[in-house]
């Protein structure tokens, strides 16, 4: 397992796709801070519930502000990262060395987990720095103490992203093709993100809306007391999603005939 992780680490660092992902996630907070600064310069006032991030303190919500972008970027990277292993046949090299399929799957999931963490951490830190430089650090309206809130908010937002990264990893192993995986991951993200609220229109199935992490990521603003009180629920949904998607992915991968 350790050898697989070491090999994946070396491979990932040499991957142009990885650096493209990190560049995109680094670009957005700086661009958005500059854009917000220009907006304020022309007389528009930033409002936290609408703009999400209005100063350095609210920069901890950069993952929320760019949730869809983060998911689509990760979906693209994971789709190509896993799909190319099947298409180029390099997956057979690792398995021929006696590594179990469960270990191989866990290695790919670990890379997706690590990239999600580094990417979201980079996005958050640059967001806080950029918005502090533009508007001062300030505070999150109605939140005290800030440090405790910031840690909880970041962990919760990261786990919501990780839940989707786990789904993308599962889809990648099920489809075994970069193009097909890309289509299905994008469809999954859009349908569950914008389609899940349909369940709210029904009395008996409205709770199904909150079985999907995107429902929290897209429709909660993370500063209202009612939203903060649901952080444990968000964490639980995310962890359950990771466990179930990983179990399905490993089970199907073990039964897959690799040609």
């Amino acid at each position: 397992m350790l050898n697989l992780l070491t090999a994946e680490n070396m491979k990932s660092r040499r991957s142009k796709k990885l650096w493209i992902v990190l560049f995109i996630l680094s670009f957005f907070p700086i661009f958005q801070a500059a854009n917000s600064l220009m907006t304020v310069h022309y007389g528009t006032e930033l409002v936290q519930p609408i703009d999400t991030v209005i100063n350095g303190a609210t920069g901890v919500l950069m993952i929320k502000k760019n949730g869809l972008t983060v998911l689509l970027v990760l979906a693209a990277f994971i789709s190509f990262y896993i799909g190319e292993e099947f298409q180029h046949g390099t997956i057979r090299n690792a398995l021929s060395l006696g590594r179990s399929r469960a270990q191989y799957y866990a290695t790919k999931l670990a890379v997706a987990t690590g990239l999600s963490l580094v990417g979201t951490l980079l996005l958050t830190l640059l967001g806080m720095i950029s918005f502090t430089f533009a508007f001062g650090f300030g505070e999150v309206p109605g939140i005290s103490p800030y440090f405790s809130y910031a840690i909880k908010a970041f962990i919760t937002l990261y786990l919501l992203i990780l839940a989707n990264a786990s789904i993308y990893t599962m889809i990648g192993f099920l489809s075994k093709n970069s193009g097909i995986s890309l289509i299905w991951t994008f469809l999954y993200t859009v349908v569950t993100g914008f389609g899940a609220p349909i369940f709210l229109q029904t009395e008996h199935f409205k709770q199904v809306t909150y079985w999907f992490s995107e429902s929290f990521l897209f429709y909660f603003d993370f500063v209202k007391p009612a939203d903060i009180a649901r952080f444990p629920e968000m964490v639980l949904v995310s962890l359950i999603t990771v466990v179930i998607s990983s179990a399905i992915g490993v089970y199907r991968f073990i039964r897959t005939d690799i040609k």
Side-chain angles (χ1 to χ4, degrees):
M1 180 70 178
L2 183 60
N3 291 337
L4 283 175
L5 285 173
T6 302
E8 291 297 331
N9 181 46
M10 295 176 60
K11 185 190 302 182
S12 299
R13 290 187 177 184
R14 293 196 296 265
S15 172
K16 293 181 180 179
K17 300 181 186 66
L18 172 66
W19 296 109
I20 291 174
V21 169
L22 295 179
F23 172 77
I24 292 174
L25 296 181
S26 301
F27 169 77
F28 268 92
I30 299 173
F31 170 77
Q32 288 168 346
N35 185 61
S36 296
L37 192 61
M38 291 297 295
T39 300
V40 171
H41 178 73
Y42 285 106
T44 301
E45 181 181 355
L46 296 181
V47 181
Q48 193 279 321
I50 298 174
D51 299 289
T52 305
V53 179
I54 60 173
N55 55 28
T58 53
V60 73
L61 301 176
M62 286 300 297
I63 303 173
K64 153 68 182 173
K65 182 178 178 67
N66 297 280
L68 181 60
T69 300
V70 174
L71 292 181
L72 293 179
V73 168
L74 288 177
F77 173 82
I78 293 173
S79 294
F80 284 105
Y81 175 66
I82 295 175
E84 288 178 351
E85 294 280 2
F86 287 94
Q87 292 171 243
H88 297 163
T90 51
I91 187 174
R92 292 193 294 269
N93 297 335
L95 297 181
S96 65
L97 296 175
R99 301 293 186 260
S100 72
R101 296 195 180 193
Q103 287 180 328
Y104 186 84
Y105 187 99
T107 301
K108 295 298 184 183
L109 180 60
V111 172
T113 300
L115 175 60
S116 300
L117 178 59
V118 172
T120 53
L121 186 60
L122 186 64
L123 177 72
T124 302
L125 290 177
L126 287 178
M128 296 181 75
I129 293 171
S130 299
F131 276 84
T132 296
F133 180 80
F135 303 103
F137 188 76
E139 61 181 12
V140 181
I143 299 299
S144 180
Y146 172 76
F147 183 75
S148 175
Y149 163 77
I151 295 296
K152 292 177 182 178
F154 176 80
I155 292 175
T156 302
L157 285 164
Y158 166 67
L159 289 176
L160 291 174
I161 295 294
L162 177 60
N164 287 275
S166 178
I167 292 287
Y168 301 153
T169 302
M170 179 192 72
I171 292 174
F173 275 92
L174 293 181
S175 62
K176 302 185 291 294
N177 180 281
S178 298
I180 296 175
S181 178
L182 193 63
I183 293 172
W184 279 110
T185 52
F186 277 28
L187 284 175
Y188 169 82
T189 302
V190 172
V191 170
T192 56
F194 300 103
I198 293 176
F199 291 108
L200 289 175
Q201 308 305 316
T202 64
E203 181 63 29
H204 298 293
F205 296 100
K206 61 182 181 181
Q207 191 58 36
V208 175
T209 300
Y210 303 111
W211 292 0
F212 302 99
S213 60
E214 289 93 334
S215 298
F216 298 111
L217 191 62
F218 292 169
Y219 301 107
F220 284 53
D221 66 16
F222 287 82
V223 295
K224 294 179 180 178
D227 294 352
I228 296 174
R230 298 188 71 170
F231 278 4
E233 179 185 350
M234 299 180 197
V235 170
L236 180 62
V237 168
S238 299
L239 293 178
I240 290 175
T241 301
V242 172
V243 171
I244 293 178
S245 61
S246 299
I248 294 174
V250 171
Y251 175 75
R252 292 297 302 273
F253 181 44
I254 290 174
R255 298 174 63 88
T256 297
D257 181 23
I258 301 176
K259 299 179 180 180

